[in-house]
Amino acid sequence: MKITFSWLGAVNTLLYIFILAPLAVVIIASFHPGEFLIFPPEGFSWRWYEYVLTSGRYTKPFWNSIWIAIATTCISLPVGTIIAYALSRYEFRFKGVIQSLFLSPLVVPTLLFGIGLLMFFSSMGIKMYFLRLVLAHIVLTIPYVVRTMIASFSNLKRSIEEASVILGASPVKTFWLVTLPQVKSALIASAFISIVMSFDELVVALFLTGPGMNTLPMMIYSDIQFNLSPSLAAISSLIIVVTLAVGFLLAVFMQRKKRI
């Protein structure tokens, strides 16, 4: 079999290596048995994975990040889906302006966004750090949900929805029983993106949190400054592996659904 060289394939390969190489370095460095984070590691040990899983240092920040991500997704997913449906199905005045408004958090620097939210919450007297973070993350994740769902709604055949209405179903029932099942893959992808974006958010959290509320990215950032040990690589490796595994399983699940 003749193998042909492709410049596009070569460039794509180099891009993948460039993206994945830092992740590989982190995972390899996590097995260093010593007290300091170095690469390449001088030996092999599960010591720091055991420390991360049993010491309890990262437990509370981890669950804080998880609950914030879940609460964020539970709100941003339905809200973003409804917004995307309205933008893709209806024509109304200032539609372009409204669409740009919902997508604006994608272009506003996160640093400025964090400062603005800090001033806003302070003026409104909102002092609950968990609520602050959830509200901030909702604003940050809704644009991703809207973009994903608009693309999915635009590819749907409206004749199926029209047939449902002609047969007597109300618009709400049609949306719930006919439209949403057809965009199930996009809903799952939007939820996954929302959870990952919320879980990984650092800059806004630095402005909006306080005593008693620490997220996992904040803990990792603090340790990078004051406690640069292989435990950082270990906890980061766990996050990388779990994220990639969940993403792979979701991709397989959605691919099987398409075949069915």
Side-chain angles (χ1 to χ4, degrees):
M1 183 176 65
K2 185 178 180 180
I3 300 176
T4 58
F5 178 79
S6 171
W7 282 106
L8 180 60
V11 172
N12 286 337
T13 301
L14 291 175
L15 287 176
Y16 284 127
I17 293 174
F18 178 77
I19 294 172
L20 297 177
L23 304 183
V25 169
V26 171
I27 294 174
I28 294 172
S30 66
F31 296 105
H32 178 61
E35 298 291 334
F36 300 99
L37 184 63
I38 62 173
F39 182 84
E42 299 175 350
F44 181 90
S45 173
W46 294 96
R47 169 189 176 187
W48 295 107
Y49 286 94
E50 182 181 359
Y51 171 80
V52 167
L53 296 174
T54 61
S55 67
R57 174 177 174 78
Y58 297 100
T59 303
K60 185 177 180 180
F62 170 78
W63 285 111
N64 286 339
S65 296
I66 286 292
W67 289 120
I68 290 170
I70 292 175
T72 298
T73 303
C74 287
I75 298 175
S76 64
L77 183 61
V79 172
T81 300
I82 294 173
I83 294 170
Y85 185 78
L87 291 173
S88 62
R89 285 291 186 267
Y90 301 103
E91 295 294 333
F92 47 87
R93 292 184 63 186
F94 307 114
K95 177 181 176 179
V97 175
I98 295 175
Q99 185 170 350
S100 300
L101 177 65
F102 280 109
L103 300 181
S104 60
L106 294 175
V107 297
V108 176
T110 311
L111 179 64
L112 300 180
F113 188 72
I115 295 174
L117 283 177
L118 175 62
M119 298 174 63
F120 173 76
F121 289 142
S122 298
S123 63
M124 295 293 292
I126 301 176
K127 299 180 180 180
M128 296 177 59
Y129 301 127
F130 182 87
L131 180 61
R132 283 184 172 188
L133 288 176
V134 170
L135 293 176
H137 288 189
I138 289 171
V139 178
L140 289 174
T141 55
I142 278 181
Y144 294 94
V145 177
V146 171
R147 289 288 295 271
T148 304
M149 296 309 301
I150 283 180
S152 185
F153 285 133
S154 300
N155 292 328
L156 288 182
K157 294 182 179 180
R158 302 189 64 173
S159 58
I160 300 177
E161 297 173 325
E162 293 170 354
S164 175
V165 174
I166 292 173
L167 291 174
S170 64
V172 174
K173 193 173 183 179
T174 298
F175 177 75
W176 185 258
L177 298 178
V178 177
T179 305
L180 287 185
Q182 297 183 79
V183 295
K184 186 183 297 183
S185 297
L187 287 171
I188 294 174
S190 298
F192 179 70
I193 293 172
S194 178
I195 289 176
V196 171
M197 293 297 298
S198 176
F199 184 88
D200 190 55
E201 171 52 43
L202 170 64
V203 177
V204 170
L206 292 175
F207 287 96
L208 301 181
T209 57
M213 174 56 67
N214 205 7
T215 64
L216 187 59
M218 291 180 61
M219 177 65 73
I220 294 174
Y221 177 74
S222 176
D223 284 352
I224 289 175
Q225 292 182 305
F226 305 108
N227 182 31
L228 193 61
S229 73
S231 63
L232 289 172
I235 185 65
S236 300
S237 299
L238 290 174
I239 296 173
I240 292 170
V241 172
V242 171
T243 303
L244 292 178
V246 173
F248 175 77
L249 292 176
L250 289 178
V252 171
F253 172 77
M254 290 187 289
Q255 189 65 30
R256 288 183 177 178
K257 285 293 184 180
K258 288 182 180 179
R259 291 177 181 176
I260 296 175

